[in-house]
Amino acid sequence: LRANRRSGWGRGGPWQTAIQGATVRTSLFRRGWWGGLVYKVNGAEVLVRNVNTANGIVHVIDDVLIPPS
């Protein structure tokens, strides 16, 4: 996501624009009483955030995001 920076996940509200131009919905909430934070993109849970690679930053999710046709 263009708006996703280490200092500001979801900056700009719940609707973000992906690099390819599609709009995705981001959400952040607490799981259970122990307060573990859960990030979601279009309903897919973000399992691992901010993995630095040679050509960018990767986020691992538990689903496949299909771009609109």
Side-chain angles (χ1 to χ4, degrees):
L1 300 173
R2 286 188 183 130
N4 184 1
R5 303 283 188 267
R6 285 183 186 269
S7 63
W9 177 281
R11 185 176 31 215
W15 295 99
Q16 304 294 320
T17 302
I19 292 174
Q20 299 84 3
T23 302
V24 296
R25 181 172 177 82
T26 59
S27 58
L28 170 65
F29 60 93
R30 294 196 181 279
R31 174 182 288 153
W33 59 270
W34 61 91
L37 291 177
V38 177
Y39 295 96
K40 290 200 172 195
V41 177
N42 281 5
E45 185 173 338
V46 178
L47 302 174
V48 181
R49 299 180 297 140
N50 300 328
V51 178
N52 291 315
T53 63
N55 61 348
I57 297 175
V58 175
H59 307 291
V60 179
I61 61 174
D62 69 350
D63 204 351
V64 176
L65 299 180
I66 307 294
S69 54

